[in-house]
Amino acid sequence: MEAVAMAVATAFVDCMVPRLFKFLEENSELRKNLQSDINYIKYEFEMISATIKDEQKNCHDGGEEVHTVWINMVRDLAHAIEDCLDRFTHRVAMAETGAGWLRRAVHRVKTVKARNEFAVAIRKLKKISEDASQLKGTYSSSTTSSPGRSLLSSEHTEMAVMTDDEDEHSAASSGPAPVGMDGPHSELLNLIQQQQQLKVITIVGFHGMGKTLLANHVYKAIESQYEALAWVPPAKLGGTASEVLKEILQQLGQCTDGPLNKLQERIKDCIGTKRFFIVIDDLRKAGYWDHIKEAFAGLSGRFLVTTAIQRIANICSISVVHDHVYIMTTLADQHSRILFLKEAFQDDDPPADAKELSSAALKKCDGLPLALVTTARFFQSMGNPTRMKWAKLCAELGTHLESDELFARMRRVLVQSYTSLDSQVDRTFLLYLSTYPSGRPVRKSTLIRKWLAEGFSPGNITSSALDAATSCFEKLVDRSILQHIDASGNSTEVKTCHTHGMMLEFVIRKSMSDNFVTLLCDQPSAPPLPSKIRRLSLHHARPTGVNDLSLVRSLTVFGQTHPSILDFRNYELMRVLDLGEYDHDLGDSDLKLACSYLLLLRYLSLGAAVTALPKNIKKLQFLETLDVRRTNIEILPTQVMELPSLLHLFGKLKLKQDVGARRMSKLQAWLSANSKLETVAGFVVDSNKSQEFAQLIEHMKHLTKVKIWYVSHADASSTSTLSKAIKGFIERGTEFTTSVALSLALSGEGSQDLLNFTLENDKSFYLRSLKLQGGNIFSLPPFVTMLAGLNKLSLSFPHQLRSDIIAALSEMCSLTQLKLTATQLDKHTIGKDAFRILQHLSITVEVITELEIQDGALSCLKSLRLLCKGLDDFSGTSAIQYFKHLEEIALHREVGGDTKQKWKEAARKHPRCPKILFV
């Protein structure tokens, strides 16, 4: 657990301190006066960061308490540096934004006092840093262990995890068939028994999902069909390919001496014409996989690999024809309850109120088999299963998870998942998830924007802050810590996710114990609040005794809370204010107060009670994201468009109708020179006045994502202006690396005319994503087929989808995702070579009868979604045999039983056995 504390401290050092030095470099006078002290702190923190990382690599048995105290000192110092920087920014730097030389000169005179205070604060930080360094040197020398002992301790910790995984395998050997795994068991057997020479099947999923358990039951079911069998446990996978091959040879009763090439030859000689079945359990490194697979080239058999890392699964199952990645899912509610009650009551019959008793615990366990078994056994050990007692145990589950011996294995699994993240910044991002309630879907884009607003992702010389944050998110997904829960058919990108209940419990405990997040829930007894609150998340909590809110950087409110929490005069350093799910009144005066006091705000999300934005929002000079999608706000003050740091604007908005020509001219000039807006999603065009937004688009030079609602009573002038603006936005994407997205929701008779334009023939335009919805669009707009880089296209028409539209789309060479929504699909044949690189096809219609797909069409298709209740008369099952890469088929949940059975049978006979979903 100490490693987690070190990780948080190091992340603060890595993220916060560079911001201080960058800021000081931009303030020459301040830097000149404090150069000596600044350099001292800079070098001191470089040493502190390096020391923490060295300690993590060589964790010793002695001195943990001393080291933990020092870690806390370092973390507090990092926070103090950030506080110091923000206070100075608040009082001095912001006032200089956009000012001329005379105004800056006057401002320097007015802020002499603030600058002097900053100099004093820097020197205090230097003294604290010196003291921390001296204390570390004084008290650590008597407790530091020898290098040999450190290595031994580290090895012992690793072996503890390995042995735990081996225990799972041995337990599975004698146990009954896993609850809820009949389906996965059958699917894997079907994949294994298909006739191919060499096949690798990789089971990937979060730790504790039962991957080893499932693999073992598959192994036992088919071991009699193979002549050469081996099971390589996790303890044998930490070294090289030679060690793995030696383990396999040893289990086959062969000599295990010699270099890698000799071992590979010996494998071939030993197995020869025999059929082999080998399980590689919990693979965490894939650097030597090619050497292992090479030893079995030309032989006949199967590899079954389990791993928690998606990237490793992809490496192992690299052949798209013969290999397969099987993604483990959590247990369904019914199976979760059966498993939980079975373990909680052992041989006894569950009581009549067992369903109510177990509901809260099942929610916490979130379908994770290890969590269900562990929690059930813990509850069983406490005896007397009353509703009140179980509710209390469930509410305090995080505390028991941290200390009770029955949770030891669960605890090791969670720590392993956490420490598998190789970057301290990644781990900090994970801790931030504790601000969300259990089971709450989290939008990727929202999460990343909050991370950026908090300053967690500083970026570096090779990547921007956004790229670094996106990479961190992808690592959490890659390690199965974040689960993909999108239901839109877009399998290429995770847009919405959540983390497993037990992982969230672990993250919450670590966040609170390290004072990273202060979480308050609606419960009878709450833990005492820390003296310094940095991030405050309230889940239907109404605390009244929060004294000091001045250091709060992030406030997130779900449900209602006490009015004192929303007294924004108490906050000074807030960067993130998320009231999107605050379900109580937030008055105009409250919002004006927020805009007057929260001058460092970077992220602002407002909820349903808000009806208007105040004009003094112009004071939020650092605001990067404004999200009013959940509000009743219709009119956007022009002052919002002039916020100098604003990057993302979300809502369904109009500009006010009394914007004069002079004001509009000034606004256009300001946007051309200063606007950083990248996202406007979006604006409503419904009258002649509303065309003013269309006049502004061309002046937002950095705009890459736009959403527009066009409604029926827009006049001809408005239509012409908007059409010109849309064309100009599309023509802005002339580079293949530009990611430009456009969403249009159109209604009214002029919809078709609005899009009746073409693009220049001698240029290529790379609009990456287009969503087009319209009730009066009957033909494909001519510009669509001219988009050389269009990857994602969504068309939604409330009428028949004509064959000529599909034919035109089938020739587009860059489409990878296509979503079609209509009342009826016209008779059509998708011919050979059509949709050559399309990977995801979604068709939602009421009737589909005559769609023919020829061999050679959709050759790269991975996901097929046919959402149509009347699919019974459609004979499309024969076509899926042509899709060699198919991984998933989704059908409407209300299709007939015979139809479901036909598609299941077709999927079973397919070489890749794609998953069948009914949604």
Side-chain angles (χ1 to χ4, degrees):
M1 291 296 191
E2 181 191 1
V4 180
M6 288 191 286
V8 177
T10 311
F12 279 127
V13 173
D14 289 344
C15 291
M16 297 179 185
V17 177
R19 288 181 51 244
L20 172 64
F21 303 125
K22 178 183 177 183
F23 172 74
L24 292 171
E25 287 172 1
E26 296 169 355
N27 291 266
S28 56
E29 289 187 25
L30 193 64
R31 187 177 71 251
K32 184 167 54 182
N33 296 337
L34 302 174
Q35 189 68 57
S36 175
D37 293 335
I38 289 169
N39 282 341
Y40 178 88
I41 293 178
K42 178 179 179 179
Y43 297 138
E44 182 78 2
F45 261 83
E46 288 176 354
M47 290 298 296
I48 287 172
S49 181
T51 303
I52 294 174
K53 291 173 182 176
D54 285 345
E55 292 281 352
Q56 286 179 285
K57 293 176 182 176
N58 300 300
C59 187
H60 48 64
D61 289 338
E64 285 87 351
E65 296 297 330
V66 170
H67 188 68
T68 299
V69 171
W70 181 70
I71 287 292
N72 291 334
M73 291 177 65
V74 171
R75 186 168 56 233
D76 288 344
L77 179 55
H79 277 308
I81 286 179
E82 190 182 31
D83 296 345
C84 181
L85 172 59
D86 282 351
R87 285 198 174 95
F88 185 76
T89 303
H90 182 187
R91 299 174 62 186
V92 179
M94 184 187 66
E96 297 181 357
T97 302
W101 69 268
L102 179 60
R103 188 175 176 183
R104 289 200 304 271
V106 173
H107 181 73
R108 281 196 296 271
V109 173
K110 289 183 177 181
T111 57
V112 167
K113 181 179 179 182
R115 292 170 184 271
N116 289 339
E117 290 175 356
F118 186 72
V120 171
I122 285 288
R123 294 189 175 106
K124 285 182 179 178
L125 292 173
K126 176 185 174 183
K127 180 65 168 60
I128 294 171
S129 178
E130 291 171 339
D131 291 344
S133 180
Q134 183 177 358
L135 285 170
K136 170 68 174 173
T138 301
Y139 289 98
S140 64
S141 58
S142 62
T143 57
T144 301
S145 305
S146 65
R149 185 177 180 187
S150 297
L151 290 172
L152 181 63
S153 175
S154 178
E155 181 182 358
H156 175 74
T157 302
E158 181 70 15
M159 287 302 295
V161 176
M162 298 299 188
T163 303
D164 183 64
D165 287 334
E166 289 181 29
D167 288 345
E168 182 180 346
H169 167 48
S170 61
S173 301
S174 57
V179 174
M181 291 191 183
D182 291 341
H185 183 266
S186 298
E187 291 175 32
L188 285 173
L189 286 178
N190 187 43
L191 286 168
I192 290 168
Q193 291 167 353
Q194 289 176 352
Q195 297 301 315
Q196 276 130 14
Q197 188 175 22
L198 175 63
K199 189 179 185 75
V200 180
I201 301 166
T202 309
I203 307 174
V204 61
F206 187 65
H207 295 292
M209 267 190 162
K211 299 185 298 294
T212 300
L213 192 68
L214 176 59
N216 183 67
H217 278 274
V218 170
Y219 183 85
K220 291 296 179 184
I222 63 168
E223 60 182 341
S224 61
Q225 303 173 24
Y226 292 86
E227 302 159 277
L229 296 154
W231 181 294
V232 183
K236 304 295 182 181
L237 296 174
T240 64
S242 294
E243 292 175 6
V244 177
L245 293 178
K246 286 178 182 179
E247 175 65 20
I248 294 172
L249 283 167
Q250 183 177 352
Q251 294 191 31
L252 295 177
Q254 299 296 313
C255 176
T256 61
D257 294 331
L260 176 62
N261 61 334
K262 293 297 184 183
L263 294 171
Q264 290 172 332
E265 291 175 7
R266 197 166 293 140
I267 286 283
K268 285 185 170 60
D269 293 339
C270 171
I271 294 179
T273 59
K274 299 175 184 176
R275 298 181 71 231
F276 70 85
F277 189 83
I278 295 172
V279 178
I280 307 290
D281 188 24
D282 198 16
L283 185 62
R284 303 172 195 175
K285 299 177 182 178
Y288 51 69
W289 176 253
D290 286 342
H291 295 304
I292 296 174
K293 198 170 181 180
E294 184 181 343
F296 294 85
L299 303 179
S300 178
R302 302 287 182 266
F303 276 104
L304 185 59
V305 181
T306 73
T307 183
I309 304 174
Q310 182 68 50
R311 183 176 57 87
I312 290 180
N314 295 339
I315 291 172
C316 293
S317 298
I318 196 168
S319 170
V320 296
V321 178
H322 299 300
D323 298 342
H324 190 90
V325 175
Y326 186 87
I327 300 175
M328 285 284 288
T329 57
T330 52
L331 296 180
D333 292 344
Q334 176 187 1
H335 293 129
S336 293
R337 193 176 303 278
I338 291 171
L339 179 59
F340 183 85
L341 296 178
K342 173 185 173 184
E343 294 294 336
F345 295 99
Q346 301 296 323
D347 296 329
D348 298 332
D349 293 330
D353 60 347
K355 185 175 181 179
E356 291 75 15
L357 272 173
S358 59
S359 292
L362 291 175
K363 185 178 179 181
K364 293 264 186 177
C365 296
D366 203 16
L368 195 69
L370 179 59
L372 289 162
V373 171
T374 305
T375 306
R377 290 175 181 174
F378 169 72
F379 279 21
Q380 190 269 341
S381 72
M382 303 303 290
N384 190 23
T386 64
R387 185 176 303 183
M388 184 177 295
K389 185 173 184 177
W390 274 28
K392 187 174 186 298
L393 289 173
C394 200
E396 299 170 352
L397 195 59
T399 303
H400 301 301
L401 174 64
E402 192 174 31
S403 57
D404 195 278
E405 62 177 349
L406 288 176
F407 286 100
R409 183 157 167 257
M410 187 78 246
R411 194 158 52 242
R412 284 195 294 270
V413 162
L414 297 174
V415 171
Q416 178 184 329
S417 294
Y418 184 89
T419 55
S420 71
L421 298 169
D422 51 7
S423 164
Q424 310 296 353
V425 176
D426 297 343
R427 298 173 183 180
T428 302
F429 284 171
L430 177 57
L431 293 183
Y432 198 77
L433 290 171
S434 59
T435 59
Y436 291 91
S438 177
R440 182 63 55 95
V442 180
R443 289 189 62 85
K444 169 189 174 181
S445 55
T446 299
L447 188 60
I448 287 178
R449 284 192 284 269
K450 284 186 175 182
W451 287 345
L452 294 173
E454 288 263 15
F456 290 153
S457 181
N460 52 49
I461 59 175
T462 60
S463 64
S464 66
L466 175 59
D467 290 340
T470 302
S471 176
C472 289
F473 180 89
E474 290 170 351
K475 288 179 185 176
L476 296 178
V477 174
D478 181 55
R479 283 161 174 76
S480 305
I481 295 172
L482 286 180
Q483 302 296 304
H484 183 185
I485 59 173
D486 289 349
S488 62
N490 178 10
S491 302
T492 61
E493 181 182 4
V494 178
K495 289 187 176 181
T496 310
C497 62
H498 79 296
T499 189
H500 290 290
M502 276 295 186
M503 189 71 208
L504 184 59
E505 286 292 328
F506 169 81
V507 166
I508 288 172
R509 294 299 302 177
K510 290 314 303 172
S511 294
M512 295 182 69
S513 64
D514 292 326
N515 197 23
F516 182 74
V517 172
T518 300
L519 173 63
L520 296 178
C521 301
D522 182 17
Q523 54 190 40
S525 60
L529 297 177
S531 58
K532 296 179 180 179
I533 301 175
R534 305 284 177 179
R535 292 166 192 85
L536 181 60
S537 183
L538 304 171
H539 301 173
H540 304 279
R542 300 175 59 86
T544 57
V546 183
N547 298 322
D548 186 6
L549 297 170
S550 63
L551 300 179
V552 172
R553 286 181 149 64
S554 170
L555 174 63
T556 305
V557 180
F558 294 91
Q560 296 189 19
T561 190
H562 194 273
S564 63
I565 295 295
L566 299 181
D567 185 350
F568 298 112
R569 292 169 296 186
N570 296 327
Y571 301 92
E572 182 180 357
L573 304 176
M574 188 181 292
R575 293 166 174 265
V576 173
L577 177 59
D578 189 349
L579 301 178
E581 297 193 45
Y582 173 62
D583 58 9
H584 200 61
D585 289 341
L586 185 69
D588 293 342
S589 59
D590 296 322
L591 201 50
K592 287 180 181 178
L593 202 63
C595 294
S596 296
Y597 283 88
L598 307 183
L599 301 182
L600 298 178
L601 208 60
R602 265 84 167 165
Y603 180 96
L604 175 60
S605 177
L606 299 171
V610 179
T611 58
L613 290 171
K615 291 184 178 180
N616 72 335
I617 196 172
K618 64 184 179 181
K619 293 185 177 181
L620 303 182
Q621 297 284 292
F622 292 102
L623 191 66
E624 297 170 352
T625 299
L626 176 60
D627 189 342
V628 295
R629 282 174 289 190
R630 295 186 181 93
T631 71
N632 293 310
I633 295 173
E634 293 184 358
I635 305 300
L636 184 75
T638 56
Q639 288 85 354
V640 171
M641 307 295 288
E642 294 177 305
L643 290 173
S645 301
L646 191 64
L647 299 173
H648 308 288
L649 175 61
F650 299 97
K652 193 171 182 179
L653 306 162
K654 308 173 191 175
L655 287 178
K656 63 177 184 178
Q657 295 190 9
D658 57 347
V659 179
R662 184 178 178 183
R663 172 63 177 145
M664 177 61 67
S665 178
K666 286 186 176 181
L667 184 57
Q668 289 173 335
W670 188 94
L671 290 172
S672 295
N674 304 294
S675 176
K676 295 181 180 179
L677 267 170
E678 298 175 3
T679 305
V680 177
F683 264 82
V684 177
V685 177
D686 68 347
S687 69
N688 190 42
K689 291 291 184 181
S690 295
Q691 69 177 305
E692 292 172 339
F693 167 70
Q695 295 172 358
L696 296 177
I697 292 181
E698 64 179 300
H699 299 281
M700 303 176 194
K701 303 301 183 183
H702 299 281
L703 203 60
T704 58
K705 183 176 182 180
V706 174
K707 182 171 185 177
I708 299 172
W709 288 270
Y710 172 87
V711 296
S712 57
H713 53 276
D715 59 21
S717 173
S718 176
T719 302
S720 174
T721 303
L722 182 58
S723 180
K724 181 181 177 181
I726 292 172
K727 179 180 178 181
F729 176 74
I730 294 172
E731 291 180 340
R732 194 179 298 179
T734 56
E735 298 180 7
F736 187 72
T737 55
T738 305
S739 182
V740 180
L742 176 64
S743 177
L744 300 172
L746 313 176
S747 63
E749 296 179 358
S751 299
Q752 189 76 56
D753 295 336
L754 180 69
L755 304 178
N756 192 25
F757 59 82
T758 59
L759 307 174
E760 296 181 41
N761 290 322
D762 58 343
K763 290 185 179 180
S764 295
F765 300 101
Y766 296 101
L767 184 72
R768 291 296 184 90
S769 174
L770 174 62
K771 295 180 180 179
L772 181 56
Q773 177 182 353
N776 287 279
I777 298 177
F778 298 94
S779 63
L780 193 67
F783 74 88
V784 174
T785 54
M786 303 177 71
L787 298 171
L790 189 64
N791 296 145
K792 306 175 184 177
L793 177 61
S794 175
L795 299 177
S796 179
F797 305 144
H799 48 71
Q800 190 172 18
L801 190 62
R802 297 202 325 241
S803 178
D804 63 310
I805 294 179
I806 302 175
L809 297 177
S810 68
E811 299 300 320
M812 295 184 68
C813 60
S814 58
L815 273 184
T816 59
Q817 297 181 47
L818 177 61
K819 184 175 182 180
L820 303 172
T821 304
T823 53
Q824 185 173 342
L825 192 63
D826 202 357
K827 179 180 179 180
H828 185 72
T829 298
I830 300 179
K832 182 180 180 181
D833 295 329
F835 295 110
R836 282 168 288 180
I837 68 168
L838 193 70
Q839 297 180 10
H840 303 272
L841 175 61
S842 176
I843 300 176
T844 303
V845 292
E846 294 179 11
V847 180
I848 177 172
T849 56
E850 298 185 79
L851 177 63
E852 180 185 349
I853 302 174
Q854 295 181 349
D855 189 5
L858 298 160
S859 56
C860 294
L861 196 68
K862 293 182 178 179
S863 172
L864 175 63
R865 297 174 69 89
L866 295 175
L867 303 184
C868 175
K869 295 180 184 179
L871 200 63
D872 296 349
D873 296 329
F874 174 61
S875 56
T877 53
S878 59
I880 69 171
Q881 62 181 310
Y882 306 141
F883 310 147
K884 305 301 183 184
H885 303 266
L886 195 61
E887 298 174 357
E888 177 185 287
I889 300 170
L891 305 177
H892 198 287
R893 67 169 66 91
E894 295 183 23
V895 297
D898 290 342
T899 300
K900 289 181 179 179
Q901 192 58 41
K902 287 178 183 178
W903 282 86
K904 286 180 179 179
E905 184 64 20
R908 190 187 66 79
K909 293 178 179 179
H910 191 279
R912 296 190 60 78
C913 291
K915 281 184 174 292
I916 292 281
L917 306 175
F918 297 98
V919 297

